[in-house]
Amino acid sequence: MRIDIITVLPEMIEGFCHESILARAQKKGLAEIHLHNLRDYSTDKWRRVDDYPYGGFAGMVMQCEPIDRCIAALKAEREYDEVIFTSPDGERFDQHVANDLSLKGNLIFLCGHYKGIDQRVRDHLITREISIGDYVLTGGELAAAVMADAIVRLVPGVIGDEQSAFSDCFQDDMLAAPIYTRPADYKGWRVPDILLSGNEAKIKAWEMDQALERTRRLRPDLLGE
Ligand code: ADE
């Protein structure tokens, strides 16, 4: 899988894209993350990529041309499955969206900034608009980084124990059950006896009960309650 991130602040997520799970995926040859500085596609001598909005509204707006030039340059090299605009008014990112996007080959993320982007970019170049939550970030970089992480870890082979990506919270619309490691007793804080019993069927049933109880208590909306 290949992810191209178009941004005016590549240095903001440069480190993140080459650490942890994204670094591991790239080292294994299972994913590529490329950052593109939108200013490199500006024709303005000051490398500007924004301008005042028509209509006298407040704030600055990202212009069509640099974005169009950057996306065209990428599309000239390969085909893309989605051109995603990170925006607080997009569809909500969740585990289902992450699963869906992890099955794609090539993705472009365009990070929003300033007051927004010229609507014609959204109308003609963007195939999907995604928000990571109902709050406004200063730019879409953190949103793109969050999504890249959630997507790439689902690519088969990225996480050593493949089972672990599928037993994540939110797979099956449930929170995960609590987990424990050694020692079995720490300062009198004991690991539940059932986990030490060796009875696989009972442990599985306990895990399901715990996941359901946790989901009901913390996220009843996931159960439609
Ligand atoms: N840009 C600003 N806020 C955002 C959000 N909540 N999700 C995605 N992109 C954004």
Side-chain angles (χ1 to χ4, degrees), residues 128-146:
R128 208 157 165 178
E129 305 190 346
I130 308 184
S131 162
I132 61 163
D134 287 346
Y135 40 82
V136 179
L137 301 165
T138 310
E141 285 73 17
L142 292 176
V146 163

Side-chain angles (χ1 to χ4, degrees), residues 15-197:
F16 181 83
C17 290
H18 296 102
E19 291 290 337
S20 181
I21 208 76
L22 296 180
R24 197 193 309 177
Q26 291 178 90
K27 270 192 204 115
K28 286 185 175 175
L30 297 169
E32 287 178 42
I33 316 283
H34 296 271
L35 297 173
H36 307 276
N37 190 336
L38 188 60
R39 294 187 195 286
D40 294 343
Y41 296 85
S42 169
T43 47
D44 177 86
K45 73 170 169 182
W46 308 111
R47 290 171 36 98
R48 284 181 56 158
V49 293
D50 62 327
D51 208 335
Y52 295 98
Y54 281 118
F57 302 108
M60 300 299 278
V61 179
M62 290 167 76
Q63 294 172 291
C64 289
E65 192 183 5
I67 296 170
D68 187 28
R69 281 162 49 93
C70 182
I71 291 176
L74 291 172
K75 282 186 174 171
E77 298 293 325
R78 66 197 67 77
E79 290 197 355
Y80 284 89
D81 299 288
E82 303 277 10
V83 181
I84 297 161
F85 177 52
T86 61
S87 174
D89 57 5
E91 73 177 285
R92 179 76 71 84
F93 187 72
D94 63 11
Q95 196 63 45
H96 296 284
V97 178
N99 290 345
D100 176 42
L101 293 176
S102 74
L103 301 173
K104 311 278 185 189
N106 300 323
L107 300 174
I108 293 176
F109 281 98
L110 170 64
C111 303
H113 246 273
Y114 311 112
K115 186 159 174 55
I117 53 171
D118 191 306
Q119 181 60 36
R120 291 166 293 183
V121 170
R122 299 172 89 151
D123 293 344
H124 298 286
L125 297 173
I126 298 298
T127 61
R128 208 157 165 178
E129 305 190 346
I130 308 184
S131 162
I132 61 163
D134 287 346
Y135 40 82
V136 179
L137 301 165
T138 310
E141 285 73 17
L142 292 176
V146 163
M147 290 192 263
D149 185 293
I151 293 164
V152 167
R153 68 194 300 282
L154 295 170
V155 172
V158 168
I159 289 187
D161 172 9
E162 234 170 79
Q163 201 49 39
S164 73
F166 293 103
S167 58
D168 280 344
C169 259
F170 300 114
Q171 296 289 5
D172 304 326
D173 284 327
M174 292 255 272
L175 302 187
I179 50 166
Y180 302 86
T181 187
R182 284 182 290 188
D185 188 334
Y186 176 71
K187 297 204 299 196
W189 307 342
R190 288 192 46 76
V191 170
D193 288 337
I194 184 82
L195 294 178
L196 310 174
S197 71

